[in-house]
Amino acid sequence: MDRRRFTLVGLTAVAMWSTLGLLTAGSGAVPPFLMNALCFGISGVVGLAILLVRDRSIAVLRQPAIVWVVGIGGLFGYHFFYFTALKAAPPVDAGLICYLWPLLIVLLSGLLPGEKLKWHHVVGALAGLAGAALIVTKGGQVAFAPQYALGYGAAFIAAFVWAIYSLASRRLPKVPSDAVVGFCLATAALSVACHLALEETIWPAGAGEWAAVGLLGLLPVGLAFFVWDIGVKRGDIQVLGAASYAAPLLSTLLLVAFGHGAFTWVVALACVLISGGGLIAAKDMIFRKAS
């Protein structure tokens, strides 16, 4: 597979992440860390089973300490700070700050060996950020207040953690994506600990809510992390970063399609900004001449 195809594989993660809003809405009142534990537990166990069925040795999980630091730090660290931000600051403010991570990936990618940051990468990412801001704020204003400083700080850390995880994964090209199985299992275990310490236990109610949790664990909190790992290691990481702003837009469109919202001028403008930004960022990939 060439760089373009690996990029397309990575983009399927963005498509899966767009289902988070709809599936989470269908999962009931399960608290965040318990939801994290259930979803990562499902993805980790299913991934481990697939490894064994495919006769792939679980020796793939024997990785150097730095690999575990990067993997667990990315998956668990991002979600820990994201949930902390949502509890300590208004969700709109925290969500907008967290969505700095695609822009950070694009800007920091210029530090990677063999990568060159170009003007259209930055323009595309900024257009995507503007579109995401419209989606998150619904066209309204954001008033950052000092009393929510802890939440804002946690949101910034979450954005940096995911950006650094994605960039660090590219610096570990020899680590197989199968190792993500171990990261998921470790994240599930740490999420259980956080749940027991911080939350009241509320299980999914009924088959419908359990089905939503299962789909979350299989797709946006499961397979998505494996294909994202493939994309950031071998694809165009700058295009992936800019295109990631499509996730909140697609999520909103899915919610509208299933009757959880309305299609407004804000959504329409966000469509133009995010899709246009993605096309600008991917200019070289789309219009590259065949060699």
Side-chain angles (χ1 to χ4, degrees), residues 148-174:
Y148 301 125
L150 175 63
Y152 300 153
F156 272 115
I157 293 173
F160 273 97
V161 164
W162 191 254
I164 291 170
Y165 164 71
S166 301
L167 295 166
S169 295
R170 193 173 185 88
R171 296 298 305 271
L172 300 168
K174 294 183 179 180

Side-chain angles (χ1 to χ4, degrees), residues 252-273:
T252 299
L253 292 176
L254 279 173
L255 289 169
V256 170
F258 282 85
H260 295 286
F263 189 84
T264 65
W265 70 268
V266 171
V267 177
L269 181 55
C271 283
V272 174
L273 287 169

Side-chain angles (χ1 to χ4, degrees), residues 5-126:
R5 291 181 181 176
F6 282 124
T7 304
L8 294 175
V9 170
L11 287 174
T12 63
V14 178
M16 283 184 269
W17 287 331
S18 70
T19 66
L20 274 169
L22 183 63
L23 292 175
T24 300
S27 63
V30 181
F33 283 112
L34 177 56
M35 178 71 78
N36 223 36
L38 291 172
C39 293
F40 277 106
I42 291 170
S43 59
V45 169
V46 171
L48 188 61
I50 291 174
L51 278 181
L52 296 175
V53 168
R54 290 166 54 199
D55 294 325
R56 299 289 294 273
S57 172
I58 60 173
V60 72
L61 303 182
R62 296 173 188 164
Q63 298 293 336
I66 185 61
V67 174
W68 286 98
V69 170
V70 169
I72 299 173
L75 270 60
F76 176 74
Y78 171 78
H79 289 88
F80 176 84
F81 287 109
Y82 176 71
F83 293 146
T84 300
L86 292 184
K87 287 179 177 292
V92 169
D93 301 2
L96 183 55
I97 294 172
C98 283
Y99 266 115
L100 288 173
W101 68 260
L103 178 62
L104 290 172
I105 287 177
V106 172
L107 295 179
L108 297 176
S109 65
L111 301 176
L112 292 172
E115 296 294 337
K116 186 177 180 181
L117 184 61
K118 298 181 181 179
W119 68 267
H120 58 273
H121 295 136
V122 178
V123 170
L126 288 173

Side-chain angles (χ1 to χ4, degrees), residues 36-37 40-41 71-72 74-77 79 182-192:
N36 223 36
F40 277 106
I72 299 173
L75 270 60
F76 176 74
H79 289 88
F183 308 156
C184 289
L185 291 172
T187 297
L190 290 170
S191 297
V192 168

Side-chain angles (χ1 to χ4, degrees), residues 180-229:
V180 175
V181 168
F183 308 156
C184 289
L185 291 172
T187 297
L190 290 170
S191 297
V192 168
C194 287
H195 166 67
L196 294 175
L198 302 171
E199 297 175 335
E200 176 187 359
T201 300
I202 302 175
W203 296 104
E209 292 187 2
W210 275 108
V213 172
L215 287 173
L216 280 166
L218 291 174
L219 296 174
V221 193
L223 181 60
F225 294 116
F226 292 85
V227 294
W228 181 254
D229 187 76

